Amino acid sequence: MARIAEATLTSPDRIRDVIHDFNADGFEALYPKYKGGRPRHFTRPERREMEKIADPSRSLGLPFLT
């Protein structure tokens, strides 16, 4: 495993994980599991909450911004 890790510029732990996944799932384990696409948009309530956190004068009721 150490030679494979060296050849692929990764750690032996990563190689061990890939082999374990391959043994469990076959070739499906070699395909990426992430999903592409556009980033998620924030809802109106989420935006309001972020604005409150970013602006302490609104969330704390204080007359200054920093």
Side-chain angles (χ1 to χ4, degrees):
M1 266 192 256
R3 292 180 64 196
I4 296 170
E6 185 179 327
T8 58
L9 303 174
T10 189
S11 69
D13 290 334
R14 175 69 183 135
I15 300 301
R16 200 172 299 110
D17 290 341
V18 170
I19 291 171
H20 175 75
D21 291 345
F22 183 82
N23 288 337
D25 301 327
F27 283 101
E28 284 296 315
L30 300 178
Y31 298 116
K33 292 178 177 55
Y34 60 86
K35 304 279 190 241
R38 293 180 68 164
R40 182 172 90 82
H41 290 279
F42 294 108
T43 63
R44 198 69 183 135
E46 290 172 329
R47 286 183 184 274
R48 280 193 214 109
E49 188 64 27
M50 286 187 284
E51 289 169 1
K52 281 196 293 188
I53 293 168
D55 186 359
S57 65
R58 284 177 39 180
S59 62
L60 300 175
L62 299 173
F64 51 84
L65 296 177
T66 58

CSV table of all heavy atoms in Angstrom, one decimal:
chain,number,residue,atom,x,y,z
A,1,MET,N,0.8,-1.2,0.0
A,1,MET,CA,0.0,0.0,0.0
A,1,MET,C,0.9,1.3,0.0
A,1,MET,O,0.4,2.3,-0.6
A,1,MET,CB,-0.9,0.0,1.2
A,1,MET,CG,-2.3,-0.6,0.9
A,1,MET,SD,-3.4,-0.2,2.2
A,1,MET,CE,-3.5,-1.9,2.9
A,2,ALA,N,2.0,1.2,0.7
A,2,ALA,CA,2.9,2.4,0.7
A,2,ALA,C,3.3,2.8,-0.7
A,2,ALA,O,3.4,4.0,-1.0
A,2,ALA,CB,4.0,2.1,1.6
A,3,ARG,N,3.6,1.8,-1.5
A,3,ARG,CA,4.1,2.1,-2.9
A,3,ARG,C,3.0,2.7,-3.7
A,3,ARG,O,3.2,3.6,-4.5
A,3,ARG,CB,4.7,0.9,-3.5
A,3,ARG,CG,6.0,0.4,-2.9
A,3,ARG,CD,6.5,-0.8,-3.5
A,3,ARG,NE,6.9,-0.5,-4.9
A,3,ARG,CZ,7.2,-1.4,-5.8
A,3,ARG,NH1,7.1,-2.7,-5.5
A,3,ARG,NH2,7.5,-1.1,-7.0
A,4,ILE,N,1.7,2.2,-3.5
A,4,ILE,CA,0.6,2.8,-4.2
A,4,ILE,C,0.4,4.3,-3.8
A,4,ILE,O,0.2,5.1,-4.6
A,4,ILE,CB,-0.7,2.0,-4.0
A,4,ILE,CG1,-0.5,0.6,-4.6
A,4,ILE,CG2,-1.9,2.7,-4.6
A,4,ILE,CD1,-1.6,-0.4,-4.2
A,5,ALA,N,0.4,4.5,-2.5
A,5,ALA,CA,0.3,5.8,-1.9
A,5,ALA,C,1.3,6.8,-2.5
A,5,ALA,O,1.0,7.9,-2.8
A,5,ALA,CB,0.3,5.8,-0.4
A,6,GLU,N,2.5,6.3,-2.5
A,6,GLU,CA,3.6,7.1,-3.1
A,6,GLU,C,3.4,7.5,-4.5
A,6,GLU,O,3.6,8.6,-5.0
A,6,GLU,CB,5.0,6.4,-2.9
A,6,GLU,CG,6.2,7.2,-3.3
A,6,GLU,CD,7.5,6.5,-3.0
A,6,GLU,OE1,7.5,5.7,-2.1
A,6,GLU,OE2,8.4,6.7,-3.8
A,7,ALA,N,3.0,6.5,-5.3
A,7,ALA,CA,2.8,6.7,-6.7
A,7,ALA,C,1.6,7.6,-7.0
A,7,ALA,O,1.6,8.3,-8.0
A,7,ALA,CB,2.5,5.3,-7.4
A,8,THR,N,0.6,7.6,-6.1
A,8,THR,CA,-0.6,8.4,-6.4
A,8,THR,C,-0.6,9.7,-5.5
A,8,THR,O,-1.6,10.5,-5.5
A,8,THR,CB,-1.9,7.6,-6.0
A,8,THR,OG1,-1.8,7.2,-4.6
A,8,THR,CG2,-2.1,6.4,-6.9
A,9,LEU,N,0.5,10.0,-4.9
A,9,LEU,CA,0.7,11.2,-4.1
A,9,LEU,C,-0.4,11.4,-3.0
A,9,LEU,O,-1.0,12.4,-2.9
A,9,LEU,CB,0.8,12.4,-5.0
A,9,LEU,CG,1.9,12.4,-6.0
A,9,LEU,CD1,1.8,13.6,-6.9
A,9,LEU,CD2,3.3,12.3,-5.4
A,10,THR,N,-0.7,10.3,-2.3
A,10,THR,CA,-1.7,10.3,-1.3
A,10,THR,C,-1.2,9.5,-0.1
A,10,THR,O,-0.1,9.0,-0.1
A,10,THR,CB,-3.1,9.8,-1.8
A,10,THR,OG1,-4.1,10.1,-0.9
A,10,THR,CG2,-3.1,8.3,-2.2
A,11,SER,N,-2.0,9.4,0.9
A,11,SER,CA,-1.6,8.7,2.1
A,11,SER,C,-2.0,7.2,2.1
A,11,SER,O,-3.0,6.8,1.4
A,11,SER,CB,-2.3,9.3,3.4
A,11,SER,OG,-3.6,9.1,3.4
A,12,PRO,N,-1.3,6.4,2.8
A,12,PRO,CA,-1.7,5.0,2.9
A,12,PRO,C,-3.2,4.8,3.5
A,12,PRO,O,-3.9,3.9,3.1
A,12,PRO,CB,-0.7,4.3,3.8
A,12,PRO,CG,0.5,5.2,3.7
A,12,PRO,CD,0.0,6.6,3.5
A,13,ASP,N,-3.5,5.7,4.4
A,13,ASP,CA,-4.9,5.6,4.9
A,13,ASP,C,-5.9,5.8,3.8
A,13,ASP,O,-7.0,5.2,3.8
A,13,ASP,CB,-5.1,6.7,6.0
A,13,ASP,CG,-4.3,6.4,7.3
A,13,ASP,OD1,-4.0,5.2,7.5
A,13,ASP,OD2,-4.0,7.3,8.0
A,14,ARG,N,-5.7,6.8,2.9
A,14,ARG,CA,-6.6,7.0,1.8
A,14,ARG,C,-6.7,5.8,0.9
A,14,ARG,O,-7.8,5.4,0.5
A,14,ARG,CB,-6.2,8.3,1.0
A,14,ARG,CG,-7.0,8.5,-0.2
A,14,ARG,CD,-8.4,9.0,0.2
A,14,ARG,NE,-9.2,9.2,-1.0
A,14,ARG,CZ,-10.4,8.7,-1.2
A,14,ARG,NH1,-11.1,8.1,-0.3
A,14,ARG,NH2,-11.0,8.9,-2.3
A,15,ILE,N,-5.6,5.2,0.6
A,15,ILE,CA,-5.6,4.0,-0.2
A,15,ILE,C,-6.4,2.9,0.5
A,15,ILE,O,-7.2,2.2,-0.2
A,15,ILE,CB,-4.1,3.5,-0.5
A,15,ILE,CG1,-3.3,4.6,-1.2
A,15,ILE,CG2,-4.1,2.2,-1.3
A,15,ILE,CD1,-3.9,5.0,-2.6
A,16,ARG,N,-6.2,2.7,1.8
A,16,ARG,CA,-6.9,1.7,2.5
A,16,ARG,C,-8.4,1.9,2.4
A,16,ARG,O,-9.2,1.0,2.3
A,16,ARG,CB,-6.4,1.7,4.0
A,16,ARG,CG,-6.7,0.5,4.7
A,16,ARG,CD,-6.0,0.5,6.1
A,16,ARG,NE,-4.6,0.5,6.0
A,16,ARG,CZ,-3.8,1.6,6.4
A,16,ARG,NH1,-4.4,2.6,6.9
A,16,ARG,NH2,-2.5,1.5,6.3
A,17,ASP,N,-8.8,3.2,2.6
A,17,ASP,CA,-10.2,3.6,2.5
A,17,ASP,C,-10.8,3.2,1.1
A,17,ASP,O,-11.9,2.7,1.0
A,17,ASP,CB,-10.5,5.0,2.8
A,17,ASP,CG,-10.2,5.4,4.2
A,17,ASP,OD1,-10.3,4.5,5.1
A,17,ASP,OD2,-10.0,6.6,4.5
A,18,VAL,N,-10.1,3.6,0.1
A,18,VAL,CA,-10.5,3.3,-1.3
A,18,VAL,C,-10.7,1.8,-1.5
A,18,VAL,O,-11.7,1.3,-2.1
A,18,VAL,CB,-9.6,3.9,-2.4
A,18,VAL,CG1,-9.9,3.5,-3.8
A,18,VAL,CG2,-9.6,5.4,-2.3
A,19,ILE,N,-9.7,1.0,-1.1
A,19,ILE,CA,-9.8,-0.4,-1.2
A,19,ILE,C,-11.0,-1.0,-0.5
A,19,ILE,O,-11.7,-1.8,-1.0
A,19,ILE,CB,-8.5,-1.1,-0.8
A,19,ILE,CG1,-7.4,-0.8,-1.8
A,19,ILE,CG2,-8.6,-2.6,-0.7
A,19,ILE,CD1,-6.0,-1.2,-1.4
A,20,HIS,N,-11.2,-0.5,0.8
A,20,HIS,CA,-12.3,-1.0,1.6
A,20,HIS,C,-13.6,-0.6,0.9
A,20,HIS,O,-14.5,-1.5,0.8
A,20,HIS,CB,-12.3,-0.3,2.9
A,20,HIS,CG,-13.4,-0.6,3.8
A,20,HIS,ND1,-13.6,-1.8,4.4
A,20,HIS,CD2,-14.5,0.1,4.1
A,20,HIS,CE1,-14.7,-1.8,5.1
A,20,HIS,NE2,-15.3,-0.6,4.9
A,21,ASP,N,-13.8,0.6,0.4
A,21,ASP,CA,-15.0,1.0,-0.4
A,21,ASP,C,-15.2,0.2,-1.6
A,21,ASP,O,-16.3,-0.2,-1.9
A,21,ASP,CB,-14.9,2.5,-0.7
A,21,ASP,CG,-15.0,3.4,0.5
A,21,ASP,OD1,-15.4,2.9,1.6
A,21,ASP,OD2,-14.7,4.6,0.3
A,22,PHE,N,-14.1,-0.1,-2.3
A,22,PHE,CA,-14.2,-0.9,-3.5
A,22,PHE,C,-14.6,-2.3,-3.2
A,22,PHE,O,-15.5,-2.9,-3.9
A,22,PHE,CB,-12.8,-1.0,-4.3
A,22,PHE,CG,-12.9,-1.8,-5.6
A,22,PHE,CD1,-13.4,-1.2,-6.7
A,22,PHE,CD2,-12.5,-3.1,-5.6
A,22,PHE,CE1,-13.4,-1.9,-7.9
A,22,PHE,CE2,-12.6,-3.8,-6.8
A,22,PHE,CZ,-13.0,-3.2,-7.9
A,23,ASN,N,-14.1,-2.9,-2.1
A,23,ASN,CA,-14.5,-4.3,-1.7
A,23,ASN,C,-16.0,-4.3,-1.3
A,23,ASN,O,-16.7,-5.3,-1.6
A,23,ASN,CB,-13.7,-4.8,-0.6
A,23,ASN,CG,-12.3,-5.1,-1.0
A,23,ASN,OD1,-12.0,-5.4,-2.2
A,23,ASN,ND2,-11.4,-5.1,-0.1
A,24,ALA,N,-16.5,-3.2,-0.8
A,24,ALA,CA,-17.9,-3.1,-0.4
A,24,ALA,C,-18.8,-2.8,-1.5
A,24,ALA,O,-19.9,-3.4,-1.6
A,24,ALA,CB,-18.1,-2.1,0.7
A,25,ASP,N,-18.5,-1.9,-2.4
A,25,ASP,CA,-19.4,-1.4,-3.4
A,25,ASP,C,-19.0,-1.7,-4.9
A,25,ASP,O,-19.7,-1.3,-5.8
A,25,ASP,CB,-19.5,0.1,-3.3
A,25,ASP,CG,-20.1,0.5,-1.9
A,25,ASP,OD1,-20.9,-0.3,-1.3
A,25,ASP,OD2,-19.7,1.6,-1.4
A,26,GLY,N,-17.8,-2.3,-5.1
A,26,GLY,CA,-17.4,-2.6,-6.4
A,26,GLY,C,-17.0,-1.3,-7.2
A,26,GLY,O,-16.5,-0.3,-6.5
A,27,PHE,N,-17.1,-1.3,-8.5
A,27,PHE,CA,-16.7,-0.1,-9.3
A,27,PHE,C,-17.5,1.2,-8.9
A,27,PHE,O,-17.0,2.3,-9.2
A,27,PHE,CB,-16.8,-0.4,-10.8
A,27,PHE,CG,-15.7,-1.3,-11.2
A,27,PHE,CD1,-15.8,-2.6,-11.4
A,27,PHE,CD2,-14.4,-0.7,-11.5
A,27,PHE,CE1,-14.8,-3.4,-11.8
A,27,PHE,CE2,-13.4,-1.5,-11.9
A,27,PHE,CZ,-13.5,-2.9,-12.1
A,28,GLU,N,-18.7,1.0,-8.4
A,28,GLU,CA,-19.4,2.2,-8.0
A,28,GLU,C,-18.7,3.1,-7.0
A,28,GLU,O,-18.8,4.3,-6.9
A,28,GLU,CB,-20.8,1.8,-7.4
A,28,GLU,CG,-21.8,1.4,-8.3
A,28,GLU,CD,-22.2,2.5,-9.3
A,28,GLU,OE1,-22.4,3.6,-8.8
A,28,GLU,OE2,-22.3,2.2,-10.5
A,29,ALA,N,-17.8,2.5,-6.2
A,29,ALA,CA,-17.0,3.2,-5.2
A,29,ALA,C,-16.0,4.2,-5.8
A,29,ALA,O,-15.5,5.1,-5.2
A,29,ALA,CB,-16.3,2.2,-4.3
A,30,LEU,N,-15.7,3.9,-7.1
A,30,LEU,CA,-14.7,4.7,-7.8
A,30,LEU,C,-15.2,6.0,-8.4
A,30,LEU,O,-14.5,6.9,-8.7
A,30,LEU,CB,-14.0,3.9,-8.9
A,30,LEU,CG,-13.3,2.7,-8.4
A,30,LEU,CD1,-12.7,1.9,-9.6
A,30,LEU,CD2,-12.2,3.0,-7.3
A,31,TYR,N,-16.6,6.1,-8.5
A,31,TYR,CA,-17.2,7.3,-9.0
A,31,TYR,C,-17.3,8.4,-7.9
A,31,TYR,O,-17.6,8.1,-6.8
A,31,TYR,CB,-18.5,7.0,-9.6
A,31,TYR,CG,-18.5,6.0,-10.8
A,31,TYR,CD1,-19.0,4.7,-10.7
A,31,TYR,CD2,-17.8,6.3,-11.9
A,31,TYR,CE1,-18.9,3.9,-11.7
A,31,TYR,CE2,-17.7,5.4,-13.0
A,31,TYR,CZ,-18.2,4.2,-12.9
A,31,TYR,OH,-18.1,3.3,-13.9
A,32,PRO,N,-17.2,9.6,-8.3
A,32,PRO,CA,-17.3,10.7,-7.3
A,32,PRO,C,-18.7,10.7,-6.7
A,32,PRO,O,-19.7,10.5,-7.4
A,32,PRO,CB,-17.0,12.0,-8.0
A,32,PRO,CG,-16.6,11.6,-9.4
A,32,PRO,CD,-16.8,10.2,-9.6
A,33,LYS,N,-18.8,11.0,-5.4
A,33,LYS,CA,-20.1,11.1,-4.7
A,33,LYS,C,-20.7,12.5,-4.6
A,33,LYS,O,-21.8,12.7,-4.1
A,33,LYS,CB,-20.0,10.4,-3.4
A,33,LYS,CG,-19.7,8.9,-3.4
A,33,LYS,CD,-19.5,8.3,-2.1
A,33,LYS,CE,-19.3,6.9,-2.1
A,33,LYS,NZ,-18.2,6.4,-3.0
A,34,TYR,N,-19.9,13.5,-5.1
A,34,TYR,CA,-20.4,14.8,-5.0
A,34,TYR,C,-21.4,15.1,-6.1
A,34,TYR,O,-21.4,14.5,-7.1
A,34,TYR,CB,-19.3,15.8,-4.9
A,34,TYR,CG,-18.4,15.8,-6.2
A,34,TYR,CD1,-18.8,16.5,-7.3
A,34,TYR,CD2,-17.3,15.0,-6.2
A,34,TYR,CE1,-18.0,16.5,-8.4
A,34,TYR,CE2,-16.5,15.0,-7.3
A,34,TYR,CZ,-16.8,15.7,-8.4
A,34,TYR,OH,-16.1,15.7,-9.6
A,35,LYS,N,-22.2,16.1,-5.9
A,35,LYS,CA,-23.2,16.5,-6.9
A,35,LYS,C,-22.8,17.9,-7.4
A,35,LYS,O,-22.5,18.8,-6.6
A,35,LYS,CB,-24.6,16.6,-6.3
A,35,LYS,CG,-25.1,15.3,-5.7
A,35,LYS,CD,-25.5,14.3,-6.7
A,35,LYS,CE,-26.2,13.2,-6.1
A,35,LYS,NZ,-25.6,11.9,-6.3
A,36,GLY,N,-22.9,18.1,-8.6
A,36,GLY,CA,-22.6,19.4,-9.2
A,36,GLY,C,-23.8,20.3,-9.2
A,36,GLY,O,-24.8,20.0,-8.6
A,37,GLY,N,-23.8,21.4,-9.9
A,37,GLY,CA,-24.9,22.2,-10.0
A,37,GLY,C,-24.7,23.6,-9.4
A,37,GLY,O,-23.7,23.9,-8.8
A,38,ARG,N,-25.8,24.4,-9.5
A,38,ARG,CA,-25.7,25.7,-9.0
A,38,ARG,C,-25.8,25.7,-7.5
A,38,ARG,O,-26.4,24.9,-6.9
A,38,ARG,CB,-27.0,26.5,-9.5
A,38,ARG,CG,-27.0,26.8,-10.9
A,38,ARG,CD,-28.2,27.5,-11.3
A,38,ARG,NE,-28.1,28.9,-10.8
A,38,ARG,CZ,-28.8,29.9,-11.1
A,38,ARG,NH1,-29.7,29.7,-12.1
A,38,ARG,NH2,-28.7,31.1,-10.6
A,39,PRO,N,-25.1,26.7,-6.9
A,39,PRO,CA,-25.2,26.8,-5.4
A,39,PRO,C,-26.6,27.1,-5.0
A,39,PRO,O,-27.4,27.7,-5.7
A,39,PRO,CB,-24.3,28.0,-5.1
A,39,PRO,CG,-23.6,28.4,-6.3
A,39,PRO,CD,-24.3,27.7,-7.5
A,40,ARG,N,-26.9,26.7,-3.8
A,40,ARG,CA,-28.2,26.9,-3.2
A,40,ARG,C,-28.5,28.4,-2.9
A,40,ARG,O,-27.6,29.1,-2.5
A,40,ARG,CB,-28.3,26.1,-1.9
A,40,ARG,CG,-29.6,26.1,-1.2
A,40,ARG,CD,-29.6,25.1,0.0
A,40,ARG,NE,-29.1,25.7,1.2
A,40,ARG,CZ,-29.8,26.4,2.0
A,40,ARG,NH1,-31.1,26.6,1.7
A,40,ARG,NH2,-29.4,26.9,3.1
A,41,HIS,N,-29.7,28.8,-3.2
A,41,HIS,CA,-30.0,30.2,-2.8
A,41,HIS,C,-30.6,30.3,-1.4
A,41,HIS,O,-31.3,29.4,-1.0
A,41,HIS,CB,-31.1,30.7,-3.8
A,41,HIS,CG,-30.6,30.9,-5.2
A,41,HIS,ND1,-29.8,32.1,-5.6
A,41,HIS,CD2,-30.6,30.2,-6.3
A,41,HIS,CE1,-29.5,32.0,-6.8
A,41,HIS,NE2,-29.9,30.8,-7.3
A,42,PHE,N,-30.3,31.4,-0.7
A,42,PHE,CA,-30.9,31.6,0.6
A,42,PHE,C,-32.3,32.0,0.5
A,42,PHE,O,-32.7,32.9,-0.3
A,42,PHE,CB,-30.0,32.6,1.4
A,42,PHE,CG,-28.6,32.1,1.6
A,42,PHE,CD1,-27.6,32.6,1.0
A,42,PHE,CD2,-28.4,31.1,2.5
A,42,PHE,CE1,-26.3,32.2,1.2
A,42,PHE,CE2,-27.1,30.6,2.8
A,42,PHE,CZ,-26.0,31.2,2.1
A,43,THR,N,-33.1,31.6,1.5
A,43,THR,CA,-34.5,32.0,1.6
A,43,THR,C,-34.5,33.4,2.3
A,43,THR,O,-33.5,33.8,2.9
A,43,THR,CB,-35.3,31.1,2.4
A,43,THR,OG1,-34.8,31.0,3.7
A,43,THR,CG2,-35.3,29.7,1.8
A,44,ARG,N,-35.6,34.1,2.2
A,44,ARG,CA,-35.8,35.4,2.8
A,44,ARG,C,-35.5,35.4,4.3
A,44,ARG,O,-34.8,36.2,4.8
A,44,ARG,CB,-37.2,36.0,2.5
A,44,ARG,CG,-37.2,37.5,2.7
A,44,ARG,CD,-36.4,38.1,1.6
A,44,ARG,NE,-36.3,39.5,1.7
A,44,ARG,CZ,-35.1,40.1,1.5
A,44,ARG,NH1,-34.0,39.5,1.3
A,44,ARG,NH2,-35.0,41.4,1.5
A,45,PRO,N,-36.1,34.4,5.0
A,45,PRO,CA,-35.8,34.3,6.5
A,45,PRO,C,-34.3,34.1,6.8
A,45,PRO,O,-33.8,34.6,7.8
A,45,PRO,CB,-36.7,33.2,7.0
A,45,PRO,CG,-37.8,33.1,6.0
A,45,PRO,CD,-37.2,33.5,4.7
A,46,GLU,N,-33.7,33.3,6.0
A,46,GLU,CA,-32.3,33.0,6.2
A,46,GLU,C,-31.4,34.3,6.0
A,46,GLU,O,-30.5,34.5,6.7
A,46,GLU,CB,-31.8,31.9,5.2
A,46,GLU,CG,-32.3,30.5,5.6
A,46,GLU,CD,-32.0,29.5,4.5
A,46,GLU,OE1,-31.9,29.8,3.3
A,46,GLU,OE2,-31.8,28.3,4.9
A,47,ARG,N,-31.8,35.0,5.0
A,47,ARG,CA,-31.1,36.3,4.7
A,47,ARG,C,-31.3,37.3,5.9
A,47,ARG,O,-30.3,37.9,6.3
A,47,ARG,CB,-31.6,37.0,3.4
A,47,ARG,CG,-31.1,36.3,2.2
A,47,ARG,CD,-31.6,37.0,0.9
A,47,ARG,NE,-31.2,36.4,-0.3
A,47,ARG,CZ,-30.0,36.5,-0.9
A,47,ARG,NH1,-29.1,37.3,-0.4
A,47,ARG,NH2,-29.8,35.8,-2.0
A,48,ARG,N,-32.5,37.4,6.4
A,48,ARG,CA,-32.7,38.3,7.5
A,48,ARG,C,-31.9,37.9,8.7
A,48,ARG,O,-31.3,38.7,9.4
A,48,ARG,CB,-34.2,38.3,7.9
A,48,ARG,CG,-35.0,39.2,7.0
A,48,ARG,CD,-36.4,39.4,7.6
A,48,ARG,NE,-37.3,39.5,6.5
A,48,ARG,CZ,-38.2,38.6,6.1
A,48,ARG,NH1,-38.4,37.5,6.8
A,48,ARG,NH2,-39.0,38.7,5.1
A,49,GLU,N,-31.8,36.6,9.0
A,49,GLU,CA,-31.0,36.1,10.1
A,49,GLU,C,-29.5,36.4,9.9
A,49,GLU,O,-28.8,36.8,10.8
A,49,GLU,CB,-31.2,34.6,10.3
A,49,GLU,CG,-30.6,34.0,11.5
A,49,GLU,CD,-31.2,34.5,12.8
A,49,GLU,OE1,-32.4,34.9,12.8
A,49,GLU,OE2,-30.4,34.5,13.8
A,50,MET,N,-29.0,36.2,8.7
A,50,MET,CA,-27.6,36.5,8.4
A,50,MET,C,-27.3,38.0,8.6
A,50,MET,O,-26.3,38.4,9.1
A,50,MET,CB,-27.2,36.1,7.0
A,50,MET,CG,-27.0,34.6,6.9
A,50,MET,SD,-26.4,34.1,5.3
A,50,MET,CE,-27.8,34.3,4.2
A,51,GLU,N,-28.3,38.9,8.2
A,51,GLU,CA,-28.1,40.3,8.3
A,51,GLU,C,-28.1,40.7,9.8
A,51,GLU,O,-27.3,41.5,10.2
A,51,GLU,CB,-29.3,41.0,7.6
A,51,GLU,CG,-29.2,41.0,6.1
A,51,GLU,CD,-30.5,41.5,5.4
A,51,GLU,OE1,-31.4,41.9,6.2
A,51,GLU,OE2,-30.5,41.5,4.2
A,52,LYS,N,-28.9,40.0,10.6
A,52,LYS,CA,-28.9,40.3,12.1
A,52,LYS,C,-27.5,39.9,12.7
A,52,LYS,O,-27.0,40.7,13.5
A,52,LYS,CB,-30.0,39.5,12.8
A,52,LYS,CG,-31.4,40.2,12.6
A,52,LYS,CD,-32.3,39.6,13.7
A,52,LYS,CE,-32.6,38.2,13.4
A,52,LYS,NZ,-33.7,37.6,14.3
A,53,ILE,N,-27.0,38.8,12.3
A,53,ILE,CA,-25.7,38.4,12.8
A,53,ILE,C,-24.6,39.3,12.3
A,53,ILE,O,-23.7,39.7,13.1
A,53,ILE,CB,-25.4,36.9,12.4
A,53,ILE,CG1,-26.4,36.0,13.0
A,53,ILE,CG2,-24.0,36.5,12.7
A,53,ILE,CD1,-26.4,34.6,12.5
A,54,ALA,N,-24.6,39.8,11.1
A,54,ALA,CA,-23.6,40.6,10.5
A,54,ALA,C,-23.6,42.0,11.0
A,54,ALA,O,-22.6,42.7,11.0
A,54,ALA,CB,-23.7,40.6,9.0
A,55,ASP,N,-24.8,42.5,11.5
A,55,ASP,CA,-24.9,43.9,11.9
A,55,ASP,C,-25.3,43.9,13.4
A,55,ASP,O,-26.4,43.8,13.8
A,55,ASP,CB,-26.1,44.6,11.1
A,55,ASP,CG,-26.2,46.0,11.4
A,55,ASP,OD1,-25.5,46.6,12.2
A,55,ASP,OD2,-27.1,46.7,10.8
A,56,PRO,N,-24.2,44.1,14.3
A,56,PRO,CA,-24.5,44.0,15.7
A,56,PRO,C,-25.4,45.2,16.2
A,56,PRO,O,-26.0,45.1,17.2
A,56,PRO,CB,-23.1,44.1,16.3
A,56,PRO,CG,-22.2,44.7,15.3
A,56,PRO,CD,-22.8,44.3,14.0
A,57,SER,N,-25.4,46.3,15.5
A,57,SER,CA,-26.3,47.4,16.0
A,57,SER,C,-27.7,47.0,15.9
A,57,SER,O,-28.5,47.4,16.7
A,57,SER,CB,-26.0,48.7,15.1
A,57,SER,OG,-26.5,48.5,13.8
A,58,ARG,N,-28.1,46.1,15.0
A,58,ARG,CA,-29.5,45.6,14.9
A,58,ARG,C,-29.8,44.5,15.9
A,58,ARG,O,-30.8,44.5,16.5
A,58,ARG,CB,-29.8,45.1,13.5
A,58,ARG,CG,-30.0,46.3,12.5
A,58,ARG,CD,-30.3,45.8,11.1
A,58,ARG,NE,-31.1,44.6,11.0
A,58,ARG,CZ,-31.4,44.1,9.8
A,58,ARG,NH1,-31.0,44.6,8.7
A,58,ARG,NH2,-32.2,43.0,9.8
A,59,SER,N,-28.9,43.6,15.9
A,59,SER,CA,-29.1,42.4,16.8
A,59,SER,C,-28.9,42.7,18.3
A,59,SER,O,-29.6,42.1,19.1
A,59,SER,CB,-28.2,41.3,16.4
A,59,SER,OG,-26.9,41.6,16.6
A,60,LEU,N,-28.0,43.7,18.6
A,60,LEU,CA,-27.8,44.0,20.0
A,60,LEU,C,-28.5,45.3,20.5
A,60,LEU,O,-28.4,45.6,21.6
A,60,LEU,CB,-26.3,44.1,20.3
A,60,LEU,CG,-25.5,42.8,20.0
A,60,LEU,CD1,-24.0,43.0,20.2
A,60,LEU,CD2,-26.0,41.6,20.9
A,61,GLY,N,-29.0,46.0,19.5
A,61,GLY,CA,-29.6,47.3,19.8
A,61,GLY,C,-28.6,48.4,20.2
A,61,GLY,O,-28.9,49.3,21.0
A,62,LEU,N,-27.4,48.2,19.8
A,62,LEU,CA,-26.3,49.2,20.1
A,62,LEU,C,-26.2,50.2,19.0
A,62,LEU,O,-26.4,49.9,17.8
A,62,LEU,CB,-25.0,48.5,20.4
A,62,LEU,CG,-25.1,47.5,21.5
A,62,LEU,CD1,-23.8,46.7,21.6
A,62,LEU,CD2,-25.4,48.2,22.8
A,63,PRO,N,-25.7,51.5,19.3
A,63,PRO,CA,-25.7,52.5,18.3
A,63,PRO,C,-24.4,52.5,17.4
A,63,PRO,O,-24.1,53.5,16.8
A,63,PRO,CB,-25.7,53.8,19.1
A,63,PRO,CG,-25.1,53.4,20.4
A,63,PRO,CD,-25.5,52.0,20.6
A,64,PHE,N,-23.6,51.5,17.4
A,64,PHE,CA,-22.4,51.4,16.6
A,64,PHE,C,-22.3,50.2,15.8
A,64,PHE,O,-23.1,49.2,16.0
A,64,PHE,CB,-21.2,51.5,17.5
A,64,PHE,CG,-21.2,50.6,18.7
A,64,PHE,CD1,-20.7,49.3,18.5
A,64,PHE,CD2,-21.6,50.9,19.9
A,64,PHE,CE1,-20.7,48.4,19.5
A,64,PHE,CE2,-21.6,50.1,21.0
A,64,PHE,CZ,-21.2,48.7,20.8
A,65,LEU,N,-21.5,50.2,14.7
A,65,LEU,CA,-21.4,49.1,13.8
A,65,LEU,C,-20.2,48.1,14.0
A,65,LEU,O,-20.2,47.0,13.5
A,65,LEU,CB,-21.3,49.6,12.4
A,65,LEU,CG,-22.5,50.4,11.9
A,65,LEU,CD1,-22.3,51.0,10.5
A,65,LEU,CD2,-23.7,49.5,11.9
A,66,THR,N,-19.2,48.5,14.8
A,66,THR,CA,-18.1,47.6,15.0
A,66,THR,C,-17.9,47.2,16.4
A,66,THR,O,-18.4,47.9,17.3
A,66,THR,CB,-16.8,48.3,14.5
A,66,THR,OG1,-16.6,49.5,15.2
A,66,THR,CG2,-16.8,48.6,13.0
